Amino acid sequence: MGKEMAGATVKKMDVEKVWEAASIQEAMKWKKQFQEDSTYIAGGTLLQLKREQGTSLPSNLIRLDQIPKLNEVTQDDGMIHIGAYVSLAECEVNLIIRKFAPLLSEAVKDVASPAVRNRGSIGGNIAYRIGDTIPALLVLDADISWVIEDQLRTAKLWEYLQQEADPNAVLTTIHIKKQSSKKQMQYYQKVGRRESFIPSLVTVAIFCNWNEWDEVGDVRLAVAGGTTTPVRLKECEAYLSGKQLTEVHIRELVELVLAEFHPTSEPFVTKHYKQQVATNLIASKFMKYLGG
């Protein structure tokens, strides 16, 4: 059974009780009981960020990070399965992730500080909706599972992000297809004002492979940054698919990225600047593939 917890940490966070759930069902029972006066918590870094931004915390925190299977990384014949409350630090060093989804391991290195990565979870980064790992997960074509109203649901991450966030849902697992040794490009780059300790201005991720005739096969491009929701550049992907790339194609790709990527402007950072940075990162990576 789960249990009620109390102590110095609770007092510092100005909440009345922390409930440690032993199962998803128990967590959802408490959420139904306390409703808006409660929220789920794993590592706590997302809640701390919201608190610093002026959002008041509810009286009841429901811990999810001790639920069995939700903090484990497993694999089967074709997939790896990452529990939503696996820490970001574990995602960086886990041997299964490093072998079969190395792009995610690389992306995690650019999330906040080591202290945050030790506490923060991959599920919390997704729940943030603009987390730095999301572009990498998008180009890895990740699926995500969650429980809502006692039903387990699974969808592509990019589909999940288009839905309105449900505070009653419990994220459970991220599913990623194992990467083959086929000729491919995997790329992740975060651009910020300083080091990785701050949110990105622009983040770009690319996955692309080629067939034996040097034609583009699977290709996925994702862009994000700042308060811009991460997106797949579907029109750009469709344009590249099946082509034997030339410099002419890459010049056309530049125009397509500018047309499809619509980031938000922020203080001291314009929409146009973000578009240019994203375009330059994507084009330069494909040019490098051509040897240019």
PDB file of all heavy atoms in Angstrom, residues 74-81 178:
ATOM      1  N   THR A  74      13.629  -1.485 -20.052  1.00  0.00           N
ATOM      2  CA  THR A  74      13.609  -2.874 -20.492  1.00  0.00           C
ATOM      3  C   THR A  74      13.659  -2.918 -22.016  1.00  0.00           C
ATOM      4  O   THR A  74      13.538  -1.897 -22.700  1.00  0.00           O
ATOM      5  CB  THR A  74      12.345  -3.608 -20.003  1.00  0.00           C
ATOM      6  OG1 THR A  74      11.185  -2.945 -20.524  1.00  0.00           O
ATOM      7  CG2 THR A  74      12.277  -3.598 -18.473  1.00  0.00           C
ATOM      8  N   GLN A  75      13.817  -4.117 -22.558  1.00  0.00           N
ATOM      9  CA  GLN A  75      13.852  -4.286 -24.001  1.00  0.00           C
ATOM     10  C   GLN A  75      13.217  -5.613 -24.378  1.00  0.00           C
ATOM     11  O   GLN A  75      13.134  -6.542 -23.568  1.00  0.00           O
ATOM     12  CB  GLN A  75      15.288  -4.250 -24.515  1.00  0.00           C
ATOM     13  CG  GLN A  75      16.174  -5.360 -23.967  1.00  0.00           C
ATOM     14  CD  GLN A  75      17.541  -5.398 -24.615  1.00  0.00           C
ATOM     15  OE1 GLN A  75      17.660  -5.332 -25.828  1.00  0.00           O
ATOM     16  NE2 GLN A  75      18.585  -5.497 -23.789  1.00  0.00           N
ATOM     17  N   ASP A  76      12.751  -5.694 -25.622  1.00  0.00           N
ATOM     18  CA  ASP A  76      12.335  -6.963 -26.199  1.00  0.00           C
ATOM     19  C   ASP A  76      12.951  -7.046 -27.584  1.00  0.00           C
ATOM     20  O   ASP A  76      13.926  -6.346 -27.870  1.00  0.00           O
ATOM     21  CB  ASP A  76      10.808  -7.108 -26.219  1.00  0.00           C
ATOM     22  CG  ASP A  76      10.105  -5.930 -26.879  1.00  0.00           C
ATOM     23  OD1 ASP A  76      10.692  -5.328 -27.811  1.00  0.00           O
ATOM     24  OD2 ASP A  76       8.982  -5.602 -26.474  1.00  0.00           O
ATOM     25  N   ASP A  77      12.415  -7.877 -28.456  1.00  0.00           N
ATOM     26  CA  ASP A  77      13.073  -8.132 -29.735  1.00  0.00           C
ATOM     27  C   ASP A  77      13.298  -6.876 -30.574  1.00  0.00           C
ATOM     28  O   ASP A  77      14.338  -6.722 -31.192  1.00  0.00           O
ATOM     29  CB  ASP A  77      12.251  -9.140 -30.545  1.00  0.00           C
ATOM     30  CG  ASP A  77      12.322 -10.540 -29.962  1.00  0.00           C
ATOM     31  OD1 ASP A  77      13.272 -10.793 -29.191  1.00  0.00           O
ATOM     32  OD2 ASP A  77      11.442 -11.356 -30.259  1.00  0.00           O
ATOM     33  N   GLY A  78      12.311  -5.990 -30.616  1.00  0.00           N
ATOM     34  CA  GLY A  78      12.463  -4.842 -31.501  1.00  0.00           C
ATOM     35  C   GLY A  78      12.355  -3.490 -30.857  1.00  0.00           C
ATOM     36  O   GLY A  78      12.532  -2.467 -31.522  1.00  0.00           O
ATOM     37  N   MET A  79      12.070  -3.424 -29.553  1.00  0.00           N
ATOM     38  CA  MET A  79      11.786  -2.160 -28.902  1.00  0.00           C
ATOM     39  C   MET A  79      12.522  -2.038 -27.578  1.00  0.00           C
ATOM     40  O   MET A  79      12.871  -3.036 -26.953  1.00  0.00           O
ATOM     41  CB  MET A  79      10.281  -2.028 -28.628  1.00  0.00           C
ATOM     42  CG  MET A  79       9.369  -2.149 -29.834  1.00  0.00           C
ATOM     43  SD  MET A  79       9.385  -0.673 -30.883  1.00  0.00           S
ATOM     44  CE  MET A  79       8.543   0.525 -29.824  1.00  0.00           C
ATOM     45  N   ILE A  80      12.732  -0.786 -27.165  1.00  0.00           N
ATOM     46  CA  ILE A  80      13.135  -0.527 -25.784  1.00  0.00           C
ATOM     47  C   ILE A  80      11.989   0.236 -25.122  1.00  0.00           C
ATOM     48  O   ILE A  80      11.261   0.993 -25.781  1.00  0.00           O
ATOM     49  CB  ILE A  80      14.454   0.251 -25.681  1.00  0.00           C
ATOM     50  CG1 ILE A  80      14.337   1.658 -26.268  1.00  0.00           C
ATOM     51  CG2 ILE A  80      15.579  -0.507 -26.351  1.00  0.00           C
ATOM     52  CD1 ILE A  80      15.584   2.502 -26.035  1.00  0.00           C
ATOM     53  N   HIS A  81      11.833   0.014 -23.830  1.00  0.00           N
ATOM     54  CA  HIS A  81      10.726   0.598 -23.080  1.00  0.00           C
ATOM     55  C   HIS A  81      11.301   1.325 -21.869  1.00  0.00           C
ATOM     56  O   HIS A  81      11.952   0.702 -21.023  1.00  0.00           O
ATOM     57  CB  HIS A  81       9.747  -0.489 -22.648  1.00  0.00           C
ATOM     58  CG  HIS A  81       9.331  -1.393 -23.772  1.00  0.00           C
ATOM     59  ND1 HIS A  81       8.381  -1.046 -24.699  1.00  0.00           N
ATOM     60  CD2 HIS A  81       9.786  -2.632 -24.137  1.00  0.00           C
ATOM     61  CE1 HIS A  81       8.236  -2.029 -25.578  1.00  0.00           C
ATOM     62  NE2 HIS A  81       9.069  -2.999 -25.261  1.00  0.00           N
ATOM     63  N   LYS A 178      14.266  -0.072 -31.697  1.00  0.00           N
ATOM     64  CA  LYS A 178      15.716  -0.211 -31.701  1.00  0.00           C
ATOM     65  C   LYS A 178      16.287   0.262 -33.031  1.00  0.00           C
ATOM     66  O   LYS A 178      15.760  -0.065 -34.091  1.00  0.00           O
ATOM     67  CB  LYS A 178      16.115  -1.670 -31.449  1.00  0.00           C
ATOM     68  CG  LYS A 178      15.843  -2.159 -30.039  1.00  0.00           C
ATOM     69  CD  LYS A 178      16.282  -3.597 -29.871  1.00  0.00           C
ATOM     70  CE  LYS A 178      16.062  -4.092 -28.448  1.00  0.00           C
ATOM     71  NZ  LYS A 178      16.449  -5.512 -28.287  1.00  0.00           N
TER      72      LYS A 178
END
